[in-house]
Amino acid sequence: MLVSASGAPGTAALLRALRKNGEREVRLVGTDMQERSIGRHLCDAFHLVPAGSDSGFADAMLELVEREGVDVVLPQSSFDLQGLAAVRERFPVPVLVSSPETIRRSNDKAETYALLRRVGVAAPDFRRVHGAREVAAAAAELGYPERPVCFKPVFSSGSRGFRILDSHVDRAHQLLHERPGSVAMRLEEAVELLPTEGDPELLVMELAAGGERTIDGIADGRRVVLGHPKTRESMRAGLAMFFVTLEDPALMELADRIVEELAIEHFFNIQLVGEHVIEINPRISTIVYQEDLNLPWLGVKHALGEIAPDELRSLAARIRPTRRALRYFDQLEWDE
């Protein structure tokens, strides 16, 4: 199995789950654009590849599939999806990625929000803008300075570029008591840093409020075949560190609607803040593992045609709402 972006935070748990599948031995080939990737130490083979946005990325991955005798490709990063989706038919093995159109529509947050509203799913009110002047105008339309708003690039991943605009933010408290990289700032600061007009293209949005939840699962392009919701709690460095599995039929029905509308295949992750859907990721994300429900392995078997959708759906009875997941930082040493 070829696992891309093997320096991602969830890599160690994912590789461990794939190895402990209970059925057969697997050989793991990791790729990353950085040599100091944990995949270099945890995989059976490791290769440097170009960034997912590089025109040579897909060809590099295809060459590795042939050289390493890979049976299935599992991308982890949003930045790898478009390049792989565009040429997935060239690969002689399953690539666990949706169609190019599904990836494009999911990555374009403005199109995603418009789609969600069209099908009756709650999404933040937003404005698609270019440059500091349009950011300021959009923020005012959405209620700033009386109400905080937020903005982020139209295409982003893992909270990159996300900022809250809040006229009441305590800058002295941020300076003295918070870690660098706080996501809250005043509009004046953002306007000063951004170009007056032109790229990058940004979304200015109402700030969704409430608890964070996600829905993770496996889809077949028409509906969810296996998955469950969970909470996202205890954030550190932009990553959720504690999760609680939920039993929520309404959220699963919402996921079915989104999967059908976007024709999502293989793994997906849908993020909500309060009742608003804020992100749709057509890729694998952080998994809450169970000893009797190995979601990554089941997704691989589904892609290989070794398990039928009906059999996957029958496994939903195993999902335990009592399940919790606590992420933590570890380290690894070696002599170069």
Side-chain angles (χ1 to χ4, degrees):
M1 298 176 55
L2 191 158
V3 180
S4 82
S6 62
T11 295
L14 173 62
L15 297 180
R16 184 167 57 247
L18 293 173
R19 288 198 191 279
K20 296 183 177 181
N21 61 74
E23 296 182 16
R24 72 190 79 164
E25 290 188 12
V26 297
R27 182 170 182 270
L28 298 171
V29 179
T31 66
D32 203 274
M33 58 185 289
Q34 301 290 341
E35 185 174 0
R36 286 198 295 269
S37 161
I38 194 60
R40 176 186 170 197
H41 303 279
L42 299 183
C43 291
D44 300 296
F46 175 77
H47 299 274
L48 289 173
V49 295
S53 58
D54 190 287
S55 60
F57 171 72
D59 285 337
M61 296 290 279
L62 180 58
E63 192 273 330
L64 287 176
V65 165
E66 295 169 345
R67 190 202 315 178
E68 293 283 2
V70 168
D71 296 298
V72 64
V73 178
L74 175 54
Q76 284 197 94
S77 170
S78 296
F79 295 100
D80 295 348
L81 300 181
Q82 193 70 56
L84 290 173
V87 296
R88 65 177 184 167
E89 302 304 328
R90 288 175 51 199
F91 281 71
V93 300
V95 182
L96 275 65
V97 64
S98 294
S99 71
E101 180 65 6
T102 297
I103 301 302
R104 186 195 66 77
R105 296 172 75 195
S106 301
N107 282 346
D108 186 324
K109 301 299 185 293
E111 184 163 339
T112 294
Y113 293 159
L115 176 152
L116 292 171
R117 287 170 166 263
R118 189 166 64 250
V119 300
V121 174
D125 193 8
F126 71 94
R127 305 290 186 273
R128 191 170 192 153
V129 302
H130 292 81
R133 289 176 182 158
E134 293 185 10
V135 167
E141 288 179 19
L142 293 170
Y144 188 91
E146 288 77 18
R147 298 171 54 198
V149 298
C150 58
F151 75 90
K152 62 181 176 181
V154 168
F155 172 63
S156 63
S157 177
S159 300
R160 293 172 179 85
F162 174 79
R163 292 294 183 273
I164 296 171
L165 301 177
D166 186 350
S167 63
H168 301 103
V169 67
D170 188 335
R171 299 178 67 193
H173 185 274
Q174 281 188 344
L175 176 66
L176 297 173
H177 301 290
E178 296 186 19
R179 294 181 185 274
S182 174
V183 298
M185 61 195 312
R186 294 177 182 172
L187 176 62
E188 296 78 13
E189 297 173 90
V191 167
E192 181 182 348
L193 295 170
L194 291 170
T196 304
E197 54 189 21
D199 290 334
E201 189 175 31
L202 301 168
L203 287 186
V204 182
M205 306 172 293
E206 66 172 312
L207 182 62
E212 294 194 28
R213 296 168 294 168
T214 70
I215 309 158
D216 298 280
I218 304 164
D220 64 2
R222 300 179 302 278
R223 54 184 173 174
V224 179
V225 292
L226 181 63
H228 67 83
K230 66 179 189 294
T231 64
R232 280 166 42 96
E233 306 180 38
S234 182
M235 305 293 292
R236 291 185 69 181
L239 299 172
M241 303 299 286
F242 181 63
F243 306 88
V244 175
T245 300
L246 300 174
E247 184 175 6
D248 192 325
L251 284 181
M252 294 309 298
E253 189 273 335
L254 180 147
D256 267 327
R257 290 161 63 191
I258 292 173
V259 162
E260 181 181 16
E261 184 66 28
L262 285 172
I264 296 174
E265 303 169 64
H266 306 296
F267 295 109
F268 69 87
N269 166 266
I270 298 168
Q271 297 183 18
L272 299 93
V273 174
E275 299 306 311
H276 290 89
V277 174
I278 63 163
E279 192 99 8
I280 300 171
N281 298 305
R283 59 166 171 79
I284 196 164
S285 188
T286 305
I287 300 296
V288 177
Y289 296 97
Q290 292 181 196
E291 71 284 351
D292 60 345
L293 194 71
N294 189 332
L295 204 64
W297 179 247
L298 291 169
V300 168
K301 290 188 67 176
H302 181 250
L304 292 170
E306 295 183 3
I307 187 168
D310 287 345
E311 188 177 353
L312 277 181
R313 277 189 283 274
S314 72
L315 298 178
R318 295 184 182 179
I319 295 169
R320 302 202 299 268
T322 57
R323 200 67 172 166
R324 309 289 186 262
L326 179 64
R327 301 175 82 177
Y328 64 95
F329 294 108
D330 199 354
Q331 64 188 50
L332 181 147
E333 292 79 25
W334 72 94
D335 288 310
E336 193 61 69

